[in-house]
Amino acid sequence: MSVCSSSSSSSSSSSSTGKAWIVHSILAGTAIAVAIGARAYLGRARKFRTRVVGIIPARYASSRFEGKPLVHILGKPMIQRTWERSKLATTLDHLVVATDDEKIAACCRGFGADVIMTSESCQNGTERCNEALEKLEKKYDIVVNIQGDEPLIEPEIIDGIVKALQAAPDAVFSTAVTSLKPEDAFDPNRVKCVVDNRGYAIYFSRGLIPFNKSAKVNPQFPYMLHLGIQSYDSKFLQIYPKLQPTPLQLEEDLEQLKVLENGYKMKVIKVEHEAHGVDTPEDVEKIESLMRERNLS
């Protein structure tokens, strides 16, 4: 009996040892696979959306300010000032102007900018950027739509939205906001934005948002002003023109709403920046006064 007991014990011990080695081998194999997978993922992450092109869409016809890109601001065309500021961004591999107007094209070539001619049928700057992207010889992962009417655009903002999109693989679009001045609260030319707790856009409006029951500006609330600059994943940019216009987009006349209405995610960063876009002829004088104050030539 004792011999049989000893033999059974030995067999059980051997079986347990074998099972332990099998489990250990499975765990070790899993750990190695996870490590390899993580290394591969990190390798892809480092290379995620690396090639970046900046595009400045510009058109001559405008209901509010015809010929706006060519208006002179302290001796230089506005489009030139925007281009010079944008060239300082470190994340851009290339920078071009996209236009449907020969006068704008000639002006831009005169100060050294690369120009892509686009059709007059483009409904907005996003569609113009897409057409320009298709005509570029090189392939890019991110396209930055730089508003030509922001002659004081800060290159750090361009870099900021590019890095935000690179860090958010679930987003196809990124943009920037800054603090809204109380006097701009009800100006329809100053687009407002609200975001969620993770920094993704909820809505954009020409009206004040959020809007409270008193119908007055709450001086304690951090209202946000949308800056026109935005960047897109290049694959999404090819999809955008094929999306049908949406009700909110048409009502507000804001192209970024078509992105949100179709369920895509948009990353938003907040920056310290005084918005000085040129929407009307009266804005030119304001810009020039500010530039004189800052000794900008």
Side-chain angles (χ1 to χ4, degrees):
M1 290 293 293
S2 62
V3 173
C4 290
S5 175
S6 174
S7 175
S8 174
S9 175
S10 175
S11 175
S12 175
S13 175
S14 176
S15 176
S16 297
T17 302
K19 289 178 181 178
W21 274 107
I22 291 172
V23 171
H24 177 75
S25 299
I26 291 173
L27 291 175
T30 301
I32 292 170
V34 168
I36 293 173
R39 191 176 297 113
Y41 173 79
L42 291 172
R44 288 196 301 272
R46 282 194 291 268
K47 298 178 181 179
F48 187 60
R49 294 172 173 166
T50 57
R51 297 162 296 182
V52 184
V53 60
I55 300 178
I56 306 174
R59 65 190 182 102
Y60 192 88
S62 172
S63 58
R64 288 181 294 179
F65 194 171
E66 187 175 49
K68 182 167 64 171
L70 300 182
V71 66
H72 275 231
I73 295 178
L74 294 185
K76 287 183 181 180
M78 181 167 62
I79 189 74
Q80 180 177 354
R81 290 198 174 277
T82 302
W83 182 81
E84 290 175 347
R85 297 287 294 172
S86 301
K87 286 285 286 184
L88 300 175
T90 60
T91 54
L92 298 183
D93 298 303
H94 191 35
L95 178 66
V96 301
V97 174
T99 185
D100 59 3
D101 186 84
E102 285 294 345
K103 293 185 290 295
I104 294 176
C107 172
C108 293
R109 293 187 185 106
F111 59 76
D114 287 337
V115 177
I116 300 291
M117 296 304 297
T118 55
S119 67
E120 295 181 0
S121 63
C122 295
Q123 297 296 308
N124 49 52
T126 303
E127 291 189 11
R128 198 173 302 283
C129 284
N130 178 56
E131 185 177 335
L133 177 66
E134 291 175 345
K135 293 182 176 181
L136 287 170
E137 294 181 0
K138 293 184 179 180
K139 301 298 181 183
Y140 295 93
D141 305 309
I142 291 178
V143 177
V144 186
N145 179 347
I146 304 167
Q147 301 296 303
D149 56 8
E150 280 274 354
L152 296 183
I153 184 67
E154 295 172 19
E156 293 81 8
I157 295 178
I158 297 174
D159 293 334
I161 65 168
V162 169
K163 292 174 182 177
L165 190 57
Q166 289 172 332
D170 57 341
V172 298
F173 192 117
S174 66
T175 189
V177 296
T178 192
S179 298
L180 177 72
K181 295 179 180 179
E183 60 266 30
D184 292 332
F186 299 104
D187 184 346
N189 292 320
R190 300 292 184 251
V191 177
K192 295 79 179 177
C193 175
V194 287
V195 302
D196 67 16
N197 291 334
R198 297 178 58 220
Y200 290 91
I202 297 175
Y203 193 65
F204 296 85
S205 179
R206 294 186 180 277
L208 182 63
I209 51 173
F211 193 75
N212 59 49
K213 290 189 292 185
S214 72
K216 297 178 181 179
V217 175
N218 177 1
Q220 304 303 317
F221 191 86
Y223 298 101
M224 291 186 292
L225 173 69
H226 180 225
L227 302 177
I229 186 168
Q230 46 210 23
S231 71
Y232 328 91
D233 179 277
S234 61
K235 292 179 181 177
F236 168 74
L237 185 58
Q238 294 169 357
I239 296 172
Y240 179 88
K242 300 172 185 176
L243 298 175
Q244 292 299 309
T246 53
L248 295 176
Q249 174 202 2
L250 295 173
E251 183 64 22
E252 296 264 15
D253 191 21
L254 295 174
E255 58 189 270
Q256 62 268 35
L257 288 178
K258 184 165 75 167
V259 180
L260 297 180
E261 284 185 87
N262 277 283
Y264 292 99
K265 303 194 77 170
M266 186 183 304
K267 191 69 174 178
V268 179
I269 64 168
K270 186 171 183 184
V271 299
E272 295 299 324
H273 175 71
E274 287 191 53
H276 300 293
V278 176
D279 296 305
T280 65
E282 293 73 28
D283 289 329
V284 174
E285 187 176 342
K286 295 177 184 177
I287 289 286
E288 291 184 329
S289 296
L290 181 67
M291 291 179 68
R292 291 189 185 98
E293 291 174 8
R294 296 183 178 180
N295 293 318
L296 299 173
S297 57

